[in-house]
Amino acid sequence: MDSELRDLFAFLAVLHAGGFREGARASGLSASRLSESVRRLETRLGVRLLHRTTRSVAPTEAGARLAERLVPALGEVEAALDVVNHYRDRPAGTLKLNVPATVARLVLPPIVAPFLKAYPDIRLEVVVEDSFVDLLAAGCDAGIRYDERLEKDMIAIPIGPRVQRMATAAAPTYIAEHGRPRHPRDLLRHACVRGQFASGVIPTWEFERRGEIVRVDPDGPLLVRLGAAVDLAVAAAVEGVGVIHLFEAWLQPHFDSGALVPLLKPWWQPFSGPWLYYPGRRHLPAPLRAFVDFVKARPAR
């Protein structure tokens, strides 16, 4: 790609991500390389395009006007280059997905291997992130999220199991010492292993039976970051630290081995499965189109 064009893409990567380090993570380039590209572009144009601080960057008036015209123009350039993919025997290129840890653990494993075998010229990058994400700013082609966390104005198609459940469990040693809860509110008297989102929010545990919904906020000796440290929470529950409330599929191997015992099963609440989502544009990059078609062709579960 011509150096002037690369500099323009670098400028947009930094602007969309809100900083050079963030732009580097999104683009796969180093922060120093992005900085050099933007500086070279500013020198060539003779105007400052970005206001730089130690924490972030913001466009100058000239930078904002340039970005306004560049986004659709460079989008057309990328689309034009990708058209060549349709003349290959097989789609090629990089597909970058942004997914939460639960999806990386429970949804993608049966999909990734057969997809890459079917399309050996595609390189798949998976970014695991549990917070809300601006796909374009993050430099991703598509994301996978649940209903309540989908970005607006996106095309979404179902991926993975269509119905999932949250399960509650404890180790046999814990049950022998503390007994079984008979109702969700009994958990308020038990030691519970809790999770916390990156925002600091600790989600309540929700249960449902015959139309009755019960939400509880129990206490316990261990609090972990959801996504990053869920395996630690599961290991602690297996060792008898307390009661855990997590995706059924995540706990199933421990149910099968007997390391964990299901609790309050009639109250386990079902919910709809995740969605693959991407910007609604007429032309999809060939790797994303291949992935969308592959997901659509898989039998529903």
Side-chain angles (χ1 to χ4, degrees):
M1 186 184 297
D2 183 87
S3 62
E4 292 186 9
L5 199 55
R6 280 197 296 268
D7 292 347
L8 292 172
F9 276 108
F11 163 66
L12 286 183
V14 173
L15 182 60
H16 285 154
F20 286 92
R21 288 184 180 179
E22 294 79 3
R25 285 196 292 266
S27 66
L29 302 174
S30 68
S32 60
R33 187 172 175 182
L34 288 178
S35 179
E36 180 184 345
S37 291
V38 173
R39 190 163 49 245
R40 186 168 53 235
L41 180 61
E42 289 178 326
T43 300
R44 186 183 305 123
L45 296 176
V47 295
R48 179 175 288 277
L49 299 174
L50 296 173
H51 294 299
R52 298 162 174 83
T53 70
T54 56
R55 293 182 176 272
S56 64
V57 300
T60 62
E61 184 178 352
R65 293 295 300 274
L66 176 61
E68 185 180 311
R69 300 296 295 272
L70 276 180
V71 171
L74 292 184
E76 286 300 313
V77 170
E78 287 186 318
L81 292 174
D82 189 67
V83 165
V84 176
N85 255 323
H86 296 286
Y87 292 92
R88 297 176 183 268
D89 292 333
R90 299 178 299 200
T94 298
L95 171 62
K96 192 170 183 178
L97 299 179
N98 191 292
V99 309
T102 300
V103 166
R105 177 68 176 267
L106 304 178
V107 176
L108 286 183
I111 296 175
V112 166
F115 172 73
L116 292 178
K117 288 178 181 178
Y119 297 98
D121 296 328
I122 292 178
R123 179 173 182 265
L124 180 63
E125 293 184 19
V126 179
V127 178
V128 178
E129 200 164 14
D130 283 272
S131 57
F132 288 100
V133 172
D134 181 332
L135 283 180
L136 297 179
C140 296
D141 300 294
I144 301 176
R145 289 294 187 278
Y146 289 85
D147 286 336
E148 71 278 7
R149 300 177 74 86
L150 283 177
E151 288 189 61
K152 296 179 180 179
D153 303 321
M154 292 282 173
I155 295 175
I157 64 170
I159 183 172
R162 298 324 310 141
V163 178
Q164 295 181 280
R165 291 193 303 180
M166 297 298 289
T168 311
T173 53
Y174 178 89
I175 295 171
E177 183 176 354
H178 301 281
R180 287 174 174 264
R182 301 297 176 184
H183 188 278
R185 294 190 186 91
D186 293 343
L187 293 171
L188 297 175
R189 299 191 295 272
H190 282 265
C192 294
V193 178
R194 300 297 303 275
Q196 182 181 45
F197 290 122
S199 63
V201 172
I202 301 174
T204 58
W205 290 2
E206 188 167 304
F207 299 86
E208 182 178 1
R209 183 182 185 186
R210 299 172 185 169
E212 180 187 1
I213 295 177
V214 177
R215 297 178 180 89
V216 296
D217 191 15
D219 198 6
L222 180 62
L223 177 67
V224 304
R225 177 67 58 85
L226 288 171
V230 171
D231 283 332
L232 173 61
V234 174
V238 168
E239 292 300 318
V241 169
V243 179
I244 191 168
H245 186 70
L246 192 62
F247 284 80
E248 179 183 5
W250 205 312
L251 298 180
Q252 190 60 52
H254 302 287
F255 292 152
D256 295 340
S257 69
L260 290 175
V261 176
L263 300 174
L264 301 169
K265 197 167 184 178
W267 288 91
W268 291 2
Q269 186 181 51
F271 55 93
S272 62
W275 299 79
L276 171 69
Y277 71 100
Y278 50 92
R281 55 193 181 195
R282 287 177 298 175
H283 177 80
L284 291 184
L288 177 55
R289 169 52 62 194
F291 189 70
V292 168
D293 291 342
F294 185 83
V295 170
K296 287 182 175 179
R298 288 176 63 83
R301 291 190 290 148

